[in-house]
Amino acid sequence: MQDNPAETLLFRKLRRYLMVEYGKRLPYASVEEVYQSLCKALKEEIMIHWVASSSSIRKHQPRILFYLSMEYLPGGFTNNNLVHIGVKNLVGKVLQQTPFTLQEVLHVEKDPGLGNGGLGRLASCFLDSLAALQMPAIGYGLRYQYGIFDQEIWDGVQVERPDRWLLRENPWEFRRDDLARYVEYSGGSCSGKSSTRATSVRAIAYDYPIIGFPSRENDFSVVTLRLWSTKESPRNFALQSYNAGEFGQAGENTSLTDVLYPSDHHLAGKRIRLKQEFLLVSASLQDIFRKHFSRGGSVATFADKVRIQVNDTHPGLVIPELMRLLMEQAPDLSLEEALAITRSVTSYTNHTILQEALEEWDEEKVEELLPRQYALVKRLHDTLTKDKQYQEPDLAILHKGRVRMAHLLLHGSHRVNGVAQLHSDIVRNDLFPKFAALYPEKFCNVTNGVSHRKWLLEANPELAHLLTQRIGDGWIYDFAEVRKLIEHAEDPSLQEEFLAIKARGKEKMFSFLQKKGLLRDAYGSVTSSHPLLGPDALFSVQIKRIHEYKRQLLHILHLVALYLERKEGASSGRIARMALIGGKAAPGYKKAKDILRFASLVSRKLREDLQTKDALLLLVLENYNVSKTMQILPGVDLSEQISLAGKEASGTGNMKLAMNGALTIGTDDGANVEMRQEVGGADWPFCFGMSAEEAKQAREGYDPKEIYEQDPLLKQALDWIVSSSFTTVPEERECALAIRDSLLEGDATSPADPYFVLKDFRAYYEAQQRVETLFQNRPLWAKHALKNIAGMGSFSSDRSIRDYAKIWELTPCPVDQEILHELSQEFSFFSGG
Ligand code: 26Q
C-alpha cells in the first residue's frame, strides 16, 4: 500500500465509485468503468471550485462576458483537467494499482468534435484563457449529438463516419433541466403573406466545467461551457405530424442539434442550419436575461453589465433578437434606444474574407422561419436607409432578397475585429471599406493566440520541463516570459537537449501513429503498416482542413518534384525527408477530396518505390483532430504554413507548432507575418512567395501555362502525374487529371490555378532548399528553433483575451476566498473520504 495520503484517498474514492456505480471490485472492472469512476472522483475536487466561481460572480456582480460560438473543440477533458488540477502524476501512481495505465484510461475518452477547425479550437483556447485569467465569463454553444465526422481514408478516398462521442455516459457534462428554455419558430408573417404554424422547441442546457490553470496563488476558477440540446426533450417530437405520416417533419425539432454542419468556409443556405443558429441565439439570450434580471438587473443596467462576443457571423441573429427582447421587456424603448444598448453590448469577430464563406440568408426563408426577428431586421434596415449617409448598397443589410449577416453585425455591434493584423487590415480596407468610412472607431484587431498550457505544457511535457529548468516556471503563468530563452539559445548544451527531446518526440509519435494503423485498402480494412523514417530525417507537417487556399497542392507537387529529381539521380546534398499531411475535407467539396486522394496517390508511389523509400515519404494521416495534434506536435521539425497570402485569416496551428520548436516554412499570411516580426527575420529563414498585395494584383493577365512552360521541373511534375506510371485505376487517373486541369485549364466555376500554386512554386522550392541546407547543421537549426520558441510570447490566448478584455472593459473576478472557505468547510467530509 502507498503511504501518500492523497494517493490513498483518491484510490479509496475510485474504488468506492466502482462499487456504487457499477457494482464492481477492482480486478473485475473494465477500463471504461475505471475511467468513469476516476472522473467522478476528480469531480469532487472540481465541484467546490466551480460553485465557488459562480457564487463569487453572483456576490460581486461584475460585468460578465457571454461568448457565443456555434463551434468548440476542447479536446479530451480528462487529461486537461488532470494537468490543471495538478494531479497527473498522482493519478498515474494510483492507477498503477489497477490493471490499466493512465494512457489506456485516457484513451477511453473520445474528443468532443463540436467544431470544424480553427474557429472552434480558438473558442476553446479562449475559454481556457478566460478561466485561467479568472474572468467572469460563460461560453454558449450547441451539444451536437454527432460532431465533425470521423474520417477514414480508403485507398485514398475519404469516407465519412458518424462521430459517436456521446455513445457512453459523459462524466464531464451536467444536464440542467432547470435551465431549459423554449425557442419559438415561425407563426405569422409581418408582410401579411401566408403565415406558418408557430412551433416552440425546448432546449435543454448541458454544462461542462472549463478549469482554469491555477494562478500563482494556487487557486483556480472554473468557467462554464453551456451547450444546448433539443434531443432529450420528448416534447419536441411532433406526434401529430407523425400520425399524419410526415415522419421527417415529426422528428425535425428533436433532431435539431443532431449534427454539426461539416463544412468550413462555405454556406449552402440550409434551413436546419438557420434553425440551429437561432436556437443558440435565443436560448442563450434568454439565459442571459434570466441571469441579469434575477440578480436585480434592469434594462437600464443591461449595457453596463453584459458583453456578448459573437464568433463569426453564425450567431449574428443576436442583433435583432436582443433588440426585440429589450423592447419586449421595456415597451417604451424606441428602436434607436434598443439599438444603442445592443451596440454597446455586442462585438463581432470576423474569421474569413473568402466570399463564399460570408453568411447570407434568403429573406423569404428568414421571414418564414423567424418572422419576429425578420420584422426587426427589416425595421432596422428601413430606419438606417432613411438616413442619407446609409443609402449605399454596400452598407445595406437587405440586398437582392438576402439578409447579409456581416452587415447586420457591423451596424449592430460595438466593435468588429479581424484575427491577425494583416487580416484586420483587409477586413477594413478591402472587405468593408464603406463601413470603415462610416464607423472608423469600430474596426480593430485582436491577433489570435493559443493556449500555451495545452499546446506546450500538456502536449510536450519534456520540452516544458526543459524550459522551466532554464528560465523558471514563470512562462506557464505569463507566456511573455518565454522570451528569456533568447539568452540561452546559443548554449550548445541546451541545443543538444532540445534536439534529443525532438528526436524522442518523433519516436513517440511514430509509435503512437503506427499503433493506430496507418493504411486502409479500398474496402476500408486496415492493412500493412506504413514505413516511417528515423529521427534523423526531416519531419515536415501540414495539418489543417483541406482547402484550395491552404495550398496542400503546393506541398504535394513539391514532393513530386523531389521524387523525380531523385529518380534522375540528383540526390547529392539531399536529406531524407518525411512529410505528413492531415486534415478533413468538407463532404461536399469535390476539389478538396481530389486533393486528399492525390496526396494519397503520391504517398503510395513514394512508399512503394524501393529506390527512394528510405529517403522520401509522405504520410497521409487519417482523422486529424485535437488529440492527434497533441501527439504530433513534439516531433515536428518543419511547419508548413503555405496559404496564398491574404487568404488565411490568422492560422493557429502555425503558433502551436512554433511553440514546440518547429521552424516555419511560410508565406507572409495571417499571423505568420506577426510571428516573423516577433521572431526576427534572421531566425525566420523560410519565408517565401507573393505578398498579399502582390497576390491581389496577380489575377490580371495571369497565365499559369506560361509558368508551366518555363519551369522544366514543374512541367515534368505536372506531366508525370497524368502518366500511366503514376495511377493504376481509371478513377485515380481522373483525379490526377482533375488536379492538373484545375491548375492549367480552369473551368466554368473557377479560373485556372485560382490560388497561384504555380506562381509560388519556384519560390517554395528554393525555400525548401534552404531548409535542407540548414537542417544539416543541427546546432544552428536548434538555435533557430529555440529563438522561435522565445518569439512566441505574444501568441498565447492569454494575450488575446487581455486584448479582448479591453474591448469588453472586463476585469477579473477571482474566486472569493471566503466563499471557497465556507464551501470547503461545509463539504470537507467529501475530501475526508
Ligand atoms: C457556416 C454556415 C454553415 C455551415 C458552415 C459554416 C462555417 C463553419 C465554420 C463557416 C466557416 C467556418 C470556419 C471558419 C474558420 O475556421 N476560420 C478560421 O478561423 C481561425 C480562427 O480565427 C483562423 O485562424 C483561420 O485562419 C480561419 O480560416
Side-chain angles (χ1 to χ4, degrees), residues 616-681:
L616 188 64
L617 286 176
L618 165 62
L619 183 65
V620 179
L621 178 76
E622 189 175 85
N623 206 35
Y624 170 59
N625 60 16
V626 171
S627 51
K628 287 211 172 137
T629 317
M630 309 262 292
Q631 301 290 338
I632 293 171
L633 288 177
V636 181
D637 297 312
L638 187 68
S639 157
E640 302 268 350
Q641 308 299 335
I642 60 179
S643 53
L644 173 64
K647 298 293 179 193
E648 187 69 273
S650 160
T652 46
N654 45 2
M655 303 167 187
K656 294 163 203 167
L657 283 154
M659 276 177 193
N660 279 275
L663 296 188
T664 302
I665 182 163
T667 47
D668 239 352
D669 198 14
N672 294 356
V673 179
E674 288 151 82
M675 289 167 63
R676 172 175 60 69
Q677 288 162 351
E678 286 294 308
V679 168

Side-chain angles (χ1 to χ4, degrees), residues 483-501:
R483 184 156 285 284
K484 290 183 184 164
L485 201 62
I486 289 269
E487 291 151 31
H488 306 265
E490 315 259 353
D491 177 348
S493 72
L494 182 67
Q495 294 169 358
E496 240 167 70
E497 284 178 79
F498 168 78
L499 291 171
I501 289 174

Side-chain angles (χ1 to χ4, degrees), residues 679-728:
V679 168
D683 294 294
W684 190 268
F686 315 132
C687 187
F688 75 95
M690 281 182 278
S691 68
E693 204 46 48
E694 285 163 345
K696 221 162 77 180
Q697 315 297 334
R699 180 90 288 138
E700 185 100 348
Y702 177 55
D703 181 7
K705 276 208 183 113
E706 237 171 68
I707 297 176
Y708 163 82
E709 294 297 348
Q710 282 163 14
D711 190 329
L713 185 57
L714 185 59
K715 181 168 189 308
Q716 198 191 353
L718 284 169
D719 291 348
W720 178 76
I721 64 171
V722 294
S723 71
S724 55
S725 68
F726 180 55
T727 54
T728 56

Side-chain angles (χ1 to χ4, degrees), residues 418-435:
V419 288
Q421 190 59 55
L422 173 68
H423 169 64
S424 296
D425 292 344
I426 293 174
V427 167
R428 174 188 310 186
N429 303 328
D430 301 342
L431 199 57
F432 305 123
K434 293 275 160 47
F435 279 99

Side-chain angles (χ1 to χ4, degrees), residues 345-378:
V345 165
T346 315
S347 12
Y348 148 56
T349 304
N350 173 287
H351 294 267
T352 178
I353 56 145
L354 297 186
Q355 270 311 320
E356 63 270 29
L358 291 179
E359 210 178 8
E360 291 187 354
W361 293 99
D362 277 340
E363 266 189 70
E364 274 183 13
K365 205 172 267 166
V366 179
E367 181 174 11
E368 189 252 315
L369 208 56
L370 304 166
R372 289 159 291 276
Q373 293 66 35
Y374 176 77
L376 259 142
V377 172
K378 182 113 179 70

Side-chain angles (χ1 to χ4, degrees), residues 71 116-120 122 261 263-268 273 277 312 314 351-352 357 359 361 419 448 549-550 647-652:
E71 307 196 4
N116 275 286
L119 168 146
L122 186 78
Y261 277 85
S263 59
D264 57 343
H265 300 103
H266 188 72
L267 295 170
R273 167 76 184 194
E277 293 184 354
D312 215 290
H314 316 153
H351 294 267
T352 178
E359 210 178 8
W361 293 99
V419 288
N448 282 170
Y549 84 79
K550 295 180 188 277
K647 298 293 179 193
E648 187 69 273
S650 160
T652 46

Side-chain angles (χ1 to χ4, degrees), residues 70 185-187 196-199 201 248-253 255-256 259 261 267-279 317 359-362 364-370:
M70 288 290 281
Y185 296 96
S186 302
T196 48
R197 187 151 32 106
T199 47
V201 177
Q249 198 57 40
E252 178 169 304
N253 291 331
S255 56
L256 261 194
V259 192
Y261 277 85
L267 295 170
K270 296 268 193 301
R271 189 170 153 277
I272 298 297
R273 167 76 184 194
L274 184 59
K275 282 184 92 167
Q276 286 184 338
E277 293 184 354
F278 186 64
L279 187 86
L317 290 164
E359 210 178 8
E360 291 187 354
W361 293 99
D362 277 340
E364 274 183 13
K365 205 172 267 166
V366 179
E367 181 174 11
E368 189 252 315
L369 208 56
L370 304 166

